[in-house]
């Protein structure tokens, strides 16, 4: 049972619901489509809390984190307690709906309200639907406020996910305390590896055990922006964890953006972290300004790793470098 795979589908449903609602402004037949994806989102939220009708969920209350769970042939369910991006991906399933938009899609609004009123068990899983936020907006999310804060607390911890260059794919906690799992007498280990893999599995460089990956970091930033769109400036969280400093969710999104752009920009010494310790790329005037879009980046120093022309997702840096228009403008 995958925390990431299930949350991806919840995000997918909310994305398609949003697209259908935009189309419904011009053709009301799409209100039915939006309703279908809204209901799918609710059922996915339910599935994450009640696997196999056993009352077992993917959220670990003691650790305040989402974990994958392994189903064994004898019916036992074992949580795989690896603190990885898997447990952060439920943040991505978030959407806000403005009251004026809901007025333009009356059939969708009526069915949505009916569903939430007659299925309170599912409505309770949808974060703060009955409480309007900034500008009378409504929030749809897999995470209620408590769980969102708990995930952000780990994500923004410099001893875990937060790097100077973005959010790591695996908690640095596992550098000193690797996760170990015994499978039929075979010992399997997951350890924090900030760059190249120490295994030839998955091609040797498909390493989600520590590096910074652009697509998921970009989605983290977008999700934080949506949460801020609902909560506004009055909602503060600690950043970084343990610092005692309270900032808005939007401030965190902006700071993560700065950390990602720092990979490519020159620092005070004129070095670009993306080039690591490569003297020609750092210093030669014919090379130093030709920035390469690597596949992923060292979790501690930002050095580019893997394929050197991975524009398919690392090209998102162009969007992050653009000034962002605020909602109030």
């Amino acid at each position: 049972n995958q925390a990431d795979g299930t949350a991806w589908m919840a995000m997918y449903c909310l994305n398609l619901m949003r697209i259908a609602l935009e189309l419904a402004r011009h053709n009301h037949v799409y209100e039915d489509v939006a309703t279908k994806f809204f209901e799918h989102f609710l059922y996915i939220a339910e599935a994450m809390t009640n696997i196999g009708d056993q009352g077992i969920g993917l959220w670990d209350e003691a650790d305040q984190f989402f974990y994958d769970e392994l189903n064994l042939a004898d019916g036992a369910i074992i949580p795989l307690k690896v603190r990885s991006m898997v447990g952060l991906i439920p943040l991505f399933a978030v959407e806000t709906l403005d009251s004026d938009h809901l007025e333009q899609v009356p059939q969708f609004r009526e069915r949505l309200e009916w569903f939430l009123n007659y299925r309170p068990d599912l409505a309770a899983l949808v974060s703060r639907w009955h409480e309007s936020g900034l500008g009378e907006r409504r929030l749809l999310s897999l995470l209620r406020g408590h769980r969102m804060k708990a995930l952000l607390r780990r994500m923004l911890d410099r001893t875990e996910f937060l790097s100077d260059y973005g959010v790591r794919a695996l908690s640095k906690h596992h550098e000193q305390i690797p996760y170990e799992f015994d499978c039929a007498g075979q010992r399997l280990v997951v350890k924090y590896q900030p760059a190249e893999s120490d295994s030839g599995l998955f091609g040797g460089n498909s390493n989600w055990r520590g590096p910074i990956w652009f697509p998921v970091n970009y989605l983290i930033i977008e999700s934080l922006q949506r949460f801020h769109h609902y909560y506004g400036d009055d909602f503060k969280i600690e950043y970084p964890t343990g610092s005692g400093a309270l900032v808005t969710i939007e401030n965190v999104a902006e700071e993560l953006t700065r950390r990602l752009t720092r990979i490519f920009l020159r620092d005070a010494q004129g070095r670009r972290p993306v080039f690591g310790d490569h003297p020609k790329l750092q210093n030669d005037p014919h090379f130093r300004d030709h920035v390469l879009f690597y596949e992923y980046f060292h979790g501690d120093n930002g050095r580019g790793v893997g394929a050197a022309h991975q524009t398919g997702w690392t090209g998102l840096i162009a969007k992050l470098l653009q000034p962002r228009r605020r909602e109030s403008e």
Side-chain angles (χ1 to χ4, degrees):
N1 302 308
Q2 297 180 336
D4 55 342
T6 310
W8 278 125
M9 295 310 298
M11 181 186 78
Y12 167 82
C13 288
L14 289 181
N15 291 164
L16 289 177
M17 182 195 75
R18 167 60 71 183
I19 293 170
L21 287 175
E22 290 297 326
L23 293 171
R25 292 184 176 190
H26 308 282
N27 185 341
H28 285 286
V29 71
Y30 286 101
E31 292 187 59
D32 286 338
V33 179
T35 300
K36 177 184 72 172
F37 285 113
F38 166 72
E39 292 177 1
H40 286 345
F41 166 71
L42 287 182
Y43 289 131
I44 290 171
E46 180 184 37
M48 292 185 72
T49 63
N50 188 20
I51 299 167
D53 293 325
Q54 298 183 50
I56 299 173
L58 297 177
W59 174 259
D60 188 296
E61 188 61 33
D63 289 0
Q64 300 280 284
F65 204 71
F66 284 100
Y67 295 122
D68 285 348
E69 292 177 342
L70 185 64
N71 291 344
L72 301 183
D74 62 4
I77 298 179
I78 300 176
L80 301 175
K81 294 194 173 187
V82 181
R83 297 214 285 266
S84 75
M85 186 62 68
V86 163
L88 298 178
I89 285 176
L91 284 166
F92 301 171
V94 56
E95 188 58 83
T96 61
L97 294 174
D98 293 336
S99 57
D100 61 339
H101 194 168
L102 287 173
E103 291 297 323
Q104 298 175 41
V105 285
Q107 294 178 23
F108 172 79
R109 186 189 71 235
E110 181 180 346
R111 292 169 191 169
L112 178 147
E113 291 176 349
W114 181 94
F115 206 91
L116 292 175
N117 286 331
Y118 286 90
R119 289 297 306 272
D121 56 320
L122 297 183
L125 302 174
V126 179
S127 181
R128 301 171 68 92
W129 175 258
H130 292 296
E131 299 175 47
S132 61
L134 188 66
E136 295 300 311
R137 297 184 181 105
R138 306 288 176 170
L139 180 71
L140 294 174
S141 170
L142 286 179
L143 306 174
R144 299 185 70 83
H146 166 70
R147 291 187 179 181
M148 181 195 68
K149 285 183 177 180
L151 284 188
L152 294 183
R153 193 178 304 119
R154 285 211 187 274
M155 188 182 82
L156 303 176
D157 188 333
R158 287 171 290 195
T159 67
E160 293 216 31
F161 289 97
L162 185 63
S163 162
D164 288 342
Y165 304 95
V167 177
R168 302 177 175 103
L170 187 75
S171 171
K172 197 174 174 67
H173 163 83
H174 292 303
E175 184 173 45
Q176 300 300 323
I177 307 176
Y179 177 76
E180 299 184 7
F181 182 75
D182 183 80
C183 179
Q186 182 180 8
R187 178 174 168 268
L188 305 175
V189 178
V190 175
K191 183 177 182 179
Y192 175 72
Q193 299 167 349
E196 293 86 355
S197 174
D198 62 2
S199 166
L201 294 173
F202 313 114
N205 68 347
S206 295
N207 181 359
W208 283 85
R209 297 188 175 184
I212 294 157
W213 291 79
F214 246 78
V216 285
N217 269 264
Y218 184 86
L219 288 172
I220 287 171
I221 291 169
E222 278 201 334
S223 300
L224 292 175
Q225 290 168 348
R226 287 195 178 97
F227 278 116
H228 180 266
H229 192 228
Y230 172 79
Y231 285 108
D233 289 341
D234 292 336
F235 188 94
K236 302 291 181 68
I237 57 177
E238 187 181 34
Y239 175 84
T241 300
S243 68
L246 298 178
V247 301
T248 68
I249 303 176
E250 184 175 44
N251 292 151
V252 175
E254 291 168 349
E255 178 58 24
L256 290 180
T257 297
R258 281 192 288 271
R259 288 175 185 248
L260 290 169
T261 58
R262 188 181 294 158
I263 292 172
F264 303 96
L265 301 178
R266 288 182 178 172
D267 61 19
Q269 289 73 44
R271 298 178 71 262
R272 299 185 194 271
V274 62
F275 289 146
D277 293 326
H278 197 297
K280 181 175 285 291
L281 295 179
Q282 289 287 9
N283 304 313
D284 192 306
H286 300 293
F287 286 86
R288 67 187 182 192
D289 293 327
H290 294 278
V291 178
L292 299 176
F293 288 0
Y294 283 88
E295 187 176 2
Y296 51 97
F297 302 87
H298 193 293
D300 296 332
N301 61 37
R303 173 174 61 85
V305 189
H309 297 82
Q310 191 72 25
T311 54
W313 55 55
T314 304
L316 288 166
I317 185 61
K319 179 74 162 54
L320 294 179
L321 285 168
Q322 292 177 343
R324 181 170 174 264
R325 183 182 68 83
R326 294 177 177 271
E327 294 293 334
S328 57
E329 293 178 355

